[in-house]
Amino acid sequence: MQTAHWLMKPPGSVKGTWERPKEAGEWLGYQLAEAAPRFAAQADREVTRLVLLVKAAVMRLTWGGDVSLGHYLNGTQFHSVALVTCSPNRSSPELLCPLK
């Protein structure tokens, strides 16, 4: 699945929209911080690593790229989060923003 395909999901599955990459990065940081204590790999829980992931995500969003992150959690669960640009999306410009 391409990250841009998230734009085809129903609007109810959208957790938020942001006009600026920095705002989306702040949301991503909260999502990662909330889930991090349950990350299966100790290295994935390190604060420096999480900060670098958020900074890289903001940079990618700045040039119109999408971000998709996933981490295995303790047990059998998987934490997945995606940030998708739209209007237009670089890889799938025909896909519209679900909340417009």
Side-chain angles (χ1 to χ4, degrees), residues 11-99:
S13 64
V14 175
K15 303 296 182 196
T17 61
W18 302 272
E19 292 292 323
R20 294 176 179 79
K22 183 179 177 189
E23 296 166 345
E26 289 171 359
W27 177 84
L28 176 62
Y30 292 129
Q31 300 306 304
L32 293 174
E34 185 176 281
R38 298 179 290 137
F39 288 169
Q42 175 64 37
D44 289 341
R45 294 183 220 137
E46 293 178 8
V47 173
T48 301
R49 179 180 174 88
L50 297 174
V51 168
L52 291 174
L53 282 174
V54 170
K55 286 184 178 184
V58 170
M59 290 301 297
R60 181 174 292 243
L61 292 170
T62 299
W63 56 259
D66 299 326
V67 176
S68 182
L69 298 173
H71 296 90
Y72 286 100
L73 303 178
N74 294 322
T76 59
Q77 295 182 322
F78 189 77
H79 178 261
S80 177
V81 64
L83 294 169
V84 186
T85 58
C86 59
S87 292
N89 181 276
R90 285 178 73 114
S91 66
S92 299
E94 72 283 0
L95 296 176
L96 301 176
C97 295
L99 298 181

